[in-house]
Amino acid sequence: MTEVPSTMKALVLNGPNDFEIKELPTPRPRGDEVLCRVKAVAICGTDPKIVAGKFPGFWPPSFPAVIGHEWAGEVVELSEDLKASAKVAAKYAVGTRVAGEAHKGCGICLNCMTGHYTVCLNYGDNASGHRHYGFTSPGAYAEYIVTSVKSATPLPENLTYHQGAMLDSAGVALHGVQRGRVTTGDAVLVTGPGAVGQFSFQYSRASGARLVIVIGRGPRLEFAAKMGAVPVDYEKVEDPVARVMELTGGVGVDCTVECAGTQQAIDWAVACTRKAGRLVMAGLPTDKITIPWGPMTLAELDILSVRANPNTAAPALALMASGAVTTDGIHTHTFPLDQFAEALATFVERRDGAMKVVLEP
Ligand SMILES: [Zn+2]
Ligand SMILES: [Zn+2]
């Protein structure tokens, strides 16, 4: 076992669009926490907005801050409390490879008690025990991160750290597919073929969907088609809704997983879902959206919104490990942490077909 150094390199946000690599004290694990050496951390769609200061006083609550939450790494130290339990200490022994999760509920509110910890009622109150790593608590753009073991899932042996860093996107997708009750024989529509959309397609197929249609455009749609989805290119098809209806015998799909968060995609999603079908809202609109409530009511749709990835880490990773779901082609680029600016630009501008960009601290 190598000695944990007293300081570590971290990407520190000093303020909006102002970041630098700095030496910080290495954090120490307490209570239910372990210290992990971060091996891979992917850029989330939210990260560029946090860096740009789009959520003042909220994400992060104050500067300086260390963000980043889509990570995988190795346990290097357990808290004294964890060591007291032989069972827990064995599961998270030094050297255990884990994938991180951003949300850790307070554990004592009604939502946490019933498993809905991504909508913890004590959100942002660190004193309650709540953590949102990389948002309201220190994150993983650093050599080390302290995390609750509740937010660290052991990686199956055949998965790499890079694959583990895809868990956030994959887990959100699986949560959406589970919320949408996708089952054997279903026809599913995915709108928006970004990382969450690609994983939504793959987890729908792994759940037994007979047909998965993806509406999108460009290289991301081409990739979904290459992986076996039925593509509908909205730049080439005159009426995407008519095309989806044609593909489903005029009925519409059983479940739509909306991953774009745009007005146009939400309109298509409502129009393409069959009467009494399920509509999963996995995209997070940043603009003001008009919800077509009348058609939704007349079709008696079940609307299911998605906040992050509760309780999906183990099955999401297991399906990757089995080969039913793959990160190939979704993780496209890798950079060392000190090239964060380059990595961020690659991600934001989708340079060279960038989808998920991973940093190695
Ligand atoms: Zn994320
Ligand atoms: Zn809670």
Side-chain angles (χ1 to χ4, degrees):
M1 185 189 139
T2 45
E3 201 62 22
V4 177
S6 59
T7 64
M8 63 171 188
K9 281 198 179 65
L11 180 90
V12 176
L13 260 184
N14 294 315
N17 292 316
D18 173 10
F19 50 82
E20 62 180 324
I21 300 284
K22 261 186 178 170
E23 279 299 314
L24 294 183
T26 306
R28 315 297 330 188
R30 296 182 308 165
D32 65 359
E33 294 168 340
V34 286
L35 176 70
C36 295
R37 176 72 177 87
V38 180
K39 301 283 192 173
V41 49
I43 300 179
C44 178
T46 316
D47 290 343
K49 296 172 194 162
I50 297 176
V51 170
K54 296 269 171 73
F55 311 100
F58 184 58
W59 290 342
S62 62
F63 295 105
V66 175
I67 66 165
H69 61 276
E70 304 191 352
W71 66 276
E74 183 184 11
V75 175
V76 293
E77 188 182 354
L78 287 77
S79 75
E80 291 306 318
D81 288 355
L82 289 181
K83 284 183 202 161
S85 160
K87 225 170 150 180
V88 177
K91 183 175 176 185
Y92 292 98
V94 168
T96 304
R97 301 157 68 250
V98 295
E101 213 178 301
H103 287 264
K104 184 246 165 181
C106 72
I108 52 174
C109 76
L110 176 68
N111 283 357
C112 284
M113 296 287 277
T114 51
H116 306 284
Y117 60 89
T118 60
V119 284
C120 173
L121 298 174
N122 289 316
Y123 184 94
D125 179 0
N126 281 359
S128 75
H130 178 271
R131 297 285 184 277
H132 195 194
Y133 299 110
F135 292 83
T136 61
S137 310
Y141 289 137
E143 288 181 305
Y144 294 89
I145 185 173
V146 148
T147 179
S148 165
V149 288
K150 288 182 179 176
S151 308
T153 303
L155 267 179
E157 229 166 69
N158 63 340
L159 293 186
T160 64
Y161 290 120
H162 287 181
Q163 289 170 313
M166 298 298 113
L167 175 60
D168 189 84
S169 309
V172 171
L174 179 56
H175 182 48
V177 167
Q178 290 179 340
R179 291 272 284 154
R181 308 189 295 280
V182 172
T183 189
T184 317
D186 273 356
V188 174
L189 168 66
V190 174
T191 48
V196 173
Q198 302 287 350
F199 282 124
S200 296
F201 147 53
Q202 291 194 38
Y203 283 107
S204 292
R205 183 171 58 186
S207 304
R210 73 173 193 276
L211 166 73
V212 184
I213 304 164
V214 176
I215 298 183
R217 68 182 175 94
R220 292 180 173 195
L221 183 68
E222 278 166 33
F223 176 68
K226 200 183 101 189
M227 297 300 290
V230 176
V232 174
D233 187 330
Y234 66 81
E235 286 184 336
K236 292 181 185 154
V237 171
E238 201 175 307
D239 182 355
V241 175
R243 180 75 188 118
V244 171
M245 285 300 165
E246 195 185 316
L247 288 164
T248 54
V251 175
V253 296
D254 301 290
C255 178
T256 296
V257 186
E258 201 300 291
C259 302
T262 62
Q263 182 70 60
Q264 190 177 46
I266 289 169
D267 289 341
W268 288 331
V270 172
C272 291
T273 309
R274 72 160 163 81
K275 289 180 181 172
R278 291 94 61 191
L279 173 50
V280 178
M281 307 295 270
L284 181 61
T286 42
D287 300 326
K288 202 167 159 48
I289 294 287
T290 304
I291 300 285
W293 212 265
M296 273 172 17
T297 301
L298 291 175
E300 205 170 74
L301 298 186
D302 282 5
I303 310 299
L304 303 138
S305 50
V306 167
R307 174 79 189 264
N309 48 343
N311 309 303
T312 52
L317 291 170
L319 284 164
M320 279 184 204
S322 76
V325 167
T326 179
T327 63
D328 293 353
I330 297 177
H331 167 214
T332 53
H333 291 70
T334 306
F335 292 89
L337 183 62
D338 56 13
Q339 287 175 25
F340 182 75
E342 176 80 6
L344 192 69
T346 300
F347 176 74
V348 171
E349 295 162 20
R350 300 188 187 179
R351 286 182 195 165
D352 314 314
M355 190 140 33
K356 288 303 275 186
V357 175
V358 165
L359 291 147
E360 293 175 331

